[in-house]
Amino acid sequence: MGVKGFVEGGIASIIAGCSTHPLDLIKVRMQLQGENNAPKPVHNLRPALAFQSGSNVHVATIPQARVGPIGVGVRLVQQEGLAALFSGVSATVLRQTLYSTTRMGLYDILKTKWTDPASGTMHLGRKIEAGLIAGAIGAAVGNPADVAMVRMQADGRLPPAERRNYKSVVDAILRMARQEGVTSLWRGSSLTVNRAMLVTASQLASYDQFKEMILQRGVMRDGLGTHVTASFAAGFVAAVASNPVDVIKTRVMNMKVEPGSPPPYAGALDCALKTVRAEGPMALYKGFVPTISRQGPFTVVLFVTLEQVRKLLKDF
């Protein structure tokens, strides 16, 4: 029972993660828009038609306009090539292998343990509790791959001289450990854990709940239609619940800490406060369109694949 749940969840998660990776990359790029983008004054520029040798002009750079998900995707392909849509996909595979396999397997174990034998169902509160526990443990296990994935996805937006240019997820993890210390692999782990708890509780619990409601009310039979409907609804719930934490997590993980200089953010709360002060409260929902555009298909692919894998492995 236990090992089977991990295998089923792992296969479904890797397939879902790889198939929606470009949408996840666009989401990360959008979440980083506006960061460190305050206008900077430029002094001592002589005007073209200056009559006095001492004339200076005070020029301020104009903040870069925010671009929507389609614009971000088009610009990414134009500047970095089509293959850039899969930047960091090796980290996605490792992340899903560590994080999602763990959370899906643990949730399955807790679900089996806490399901009422008489009715064959589990109370919504128990489902949420199982999701919180499974998500927290899965995130702690998968955080190094999560940090590597965020950095590899965000690297292309930096000037060439400032890019990290990781060759693979293994190279990213080894260089982070060597250059920034092993603890850097768990940078933003509190945010990763919080986000994973929210996503797992809202995604897995709501999928089971929506599926039960559809079947109990006879809206549809247990099949592809039910799985797609319940999973898309679960994806929307997960996106709304997790987006603010996801924005802060992305920025904390991606920040560059120069030797001898203080980090841009002292922690998650500091990052949240600076983001809201500089960009407004709705900055916490940056990337929501690609988040829901990714979370919806990801959740659909995840659960539809999971149901099919369960059928294939039913006799094992």
Side-chain angles (χ1 to χ4, degrees), residues 155-165 175 256 258:
D155 211 34
R157 69 184 286 273
L158 299 172
E162 297 180 18
R163 291 177 187 173
R164 299 179 173 102
N165 295 318
R175 281 175 55 186
K256 268 197 169 184
E258 300 294 338

Side-chain angles (χ1 to χ4, degrees), residues 152-224:
M152 291 172 76
Q153 289 177 334
D155 211 34
R157 69 184 286 273
L158 299 172
E162 297 180 18
R163 291 177 187 173
R164 299 179 173 102
N165 295 318
Y166 296 132
K167 297 176 183 177
S168 66
V169 63
V170 175
D171 179 51
I173 290 174
L174 291 176
R175 281 175 55 186
M176 277 189 283
R178 185 169 59 250
Q179 296 171 1
E180 304 171 51
V182 176
T183 55
S184 68
L185 298 175
W186 275 270
R187 180 172 292 159
S189 59
S190 61
L191 289 163
T192 305
V193 169
N194 289 334
R195 177 189 178 279
M197 291 171 71
L198 288 172
V199 169
T200 305
S202 56
Q203 188 185 66
L204 302 189
S206 59
Y207 173 76
D208 283 342
Q209 192 68 22
F210 283 126
K211 182 181 173 183
E212 283 180 15
M213 289 170 59
I214 291 171
L215 295 177
Q216 287 175 357
R217 297 181 183 182
V219 178
M220 286 185 281
R221 293 181 299 173
D222 189 4
L224 184 61

Side-chain angles (χ1 to χ4, degrees), residues 99-145:
Y99 159 63
S100 286
T101 299
T102 302
R103 72 175 184 129
M104 298 288 284
L106 288 176
Y107 181 82
D108 188 64
I109 289 173
L110 293 173
K111 180 181 170 183
T112 302
K113 184 178 180 180
W114 292 345
T115 295
D116 182 7
S119 63
T121 59
M122 183 168 66
H123 190 271
L124 178 60
R126 277 295 206 178
K127 292 173 186 170
I128 293 173
E129 186 180 351
L132 292 172
I133 294 171
I137 296 173
V141 172
N143 200 82

Side-chain angles (χ1 to χ4, degrees), residues 25-38 64-66 72 75-76 79-80 84 87 150-165 250-251 253-256 265 279 286:
L25 187 147
I26 291 171
K27 176 204 71 175
V28 168
R29 295 290 181 92
M30 288 190 70
Q31 289 174 340
L32 293 171
Q33 280 188 142
E35 186 182 33
N36 300 326
N37 201 32
Q64 185 179 6
R66 294 174 183 174
V72 170
R75 189 169 63 185
L76 189 151
Q79 295 178 353
E80 303 171 46
S87 298
V150 167
R151 290 189 174 196
M152 291 172 76
Q153 289 177 334
D155 211 34
R157 69 184 286 273
L158 299 172
E162 297 180 18
R163 291 177 187 173
R164 299 179 173 102
N165 295 318
T250 296
R251 294 190 171 195
M253 285 182 169
N254 187 59
M255 69 177 176
K256 268 197 169 184
Y265 306 118
E279 305 165 54
K286 275 187 174 181

